[in-house]
Amino acid sequence: MLSAVVTPEGDRIRWVELPGAEPARVYLHGLGSTSPAYFAASAVHPLLAGRRSLLIDLLGHGHSDRPEDFSYTLEAHADALAAALEQAGTGAAELIAHSMGGAVAIVLADRHPHLVSRLVLVDANLDPAPPGPPAEGSSGLAGYTEQEFLAGGWAEVRDRVGAHWWSTMRLAGRVALHRSAVHLAAGTTPTMRELLLELKIPRSFLFPAEDGRVPGTEALEAAGVAVVAVPESGHNIMLDNPDGFARAVADALVPAQPKP
């Protein structure tokens, strides 16, 4: 377990690091998750093993610190992550980022472009989701005020999301979890989708084939984003279809061949 101080108050981001060849790969989890639990099998899969790999927990999640005076906006998450990557000496890393982690990765690539060489988004949030009635996902969590969530809304979320997600969600700070959900639902300006379209690095977007078609596929592909369906999977593609996920990520990370 390695760590880096990422705030003036001394809060630390922590990660599990696997040694290997450069450039580094950074695996980034979604809301209420933790990267070692979601990506350990992927990082050592025969199609992906052998590279320096950092399985990072965002501030407020997993093994990282849970400050209650941190804003947990997508921009703040990205800046804290950038501070950790600078101290880890990753250089221009390949990011494999799931769900909310994908949104943070897009913002990171926009704000700190020297830290990202390639972007593999795994069913990531691209658009704002206005708060609504309590439901699963970021918009459901954001449907509570912070006071309501801390006073008991968290228990409703626990019962609603089920044992699997709660097993990692319970590790997140409750303030961190709620604020992260609120800011993920609100999105960024420009939106994550708009930022993604403007990035100049190789980008891929993996999604469950059973979902049908990703909204805005034509614009994504026109901007050079590879949109890739992974069969036999739901939102947690890396857990539902480990081999299919590893193949899709390996394909996305193959360097482009120079034109003759």
Side-chain angles (χ1 to χ4, degrees):
M1 182 68 65
L2 301 177
S3 69
V5 174
V6 297
T7 70
E9 294 73 29
D11 302 299
R12 289 181 176 271
I13 276 181
R14 295 181 176 84
W15 66 91
V16 171
E17 183 164 334
L18 306 177
E22 302 283 351
R25 286 180 182 158
V26 174
Y27 292 86
L28 204 58
H29 63 83
L31 179 70
S33 301
T34 170
S35 289
Y38 274 66
F39 286 114
S42 299
V44 299
H45 191 282
L47 293 175
L48 299 174
R51 295 286 292 277
R52 181 187 179 195
S53 299
L54 288 73
L55 283 63
I56 291 187
D57 284 343
L58 292 169
L59 209 60
H61 289 70
H63 299 285
S64 293
D65 286 345
R66 303 157 181 77
E68 295 190 359
D69 56 354
F70 189 74
S71 68
Y72 295 100
T73 65
L74 293 173
E75 294 86 353
H77 271 304
D79 290 347
L81 176 60
L85 296 180
E86 293 279 14
Q87 293 175 64
T90 59
E94 300 171 340
L95 262 70
I96 300 95
H98 179 231
S99 198
M100 183 187 79
V104 173
I106 292 169
V107 177
L108 176 73
D110 176 67
R111 292 168 71 90
H112 306 276
H114 65 291
L115 292 175
V116 186
S117 62
R118 287 175 175 268
L119 199 53
V120 181
L121 303 173
V122 186
D123 211 20
N125 300 70
L126 299 183
D127 305 301
E136 291 187 26
S138 57
S139 60
L141 285 165
Y144 299 92
T145 67
E146 186 169 306
Q147 182 178 9
E148 289 169 343
F149 185 76
L150 297 178
W154 68 268
E156 296 176 357
V157 170
R158 175 199 62 197
D159 296 342
R160 191 163 60 243
V161 302
H164 183 271
W165 195 3
W166 185 251
S167 69
T168 58
M169 189 180 285
R170 67 188 177 87
L171 303 177
R174 290 176 188 169
V175 168
L177 181 63
H178 182 263
R179 290 182 189 169
S180 294
V182 167
H183 291 297
L184 179 60
T188 57
T189 304
T191 67
M192 294 86 78
R193 181 183 296 272
E194 290 167 334
L195 293 175
L196 177 62
L197 293 174
E198 294 300 318
L199 294 176
K200 304 306 180 185
I201 56 176
R203 296 145 294 158
S204 298
F205 188 98
L206 278 52
F207 72 99
E210 286 76 5
D211 282 1
R213 190 169 178 80
V214 174
T217 291
E218 295 81 0
L220 291 169
E221 292 180 336
V225 180
V227 181
V228 181
V230 181
E232 300 176 11
S233 64
H235 180 56
N236 297 321
I237 300 174
M238 73 294 291
L239 302 180
D240 298 334
N241 185 352
D243 291 336
F245 176 74
R247 282 192 296 271
V249 172
D251 289 345
L253 295 177
V254 172
Q257 297 300 313
K259 296 180 179 180

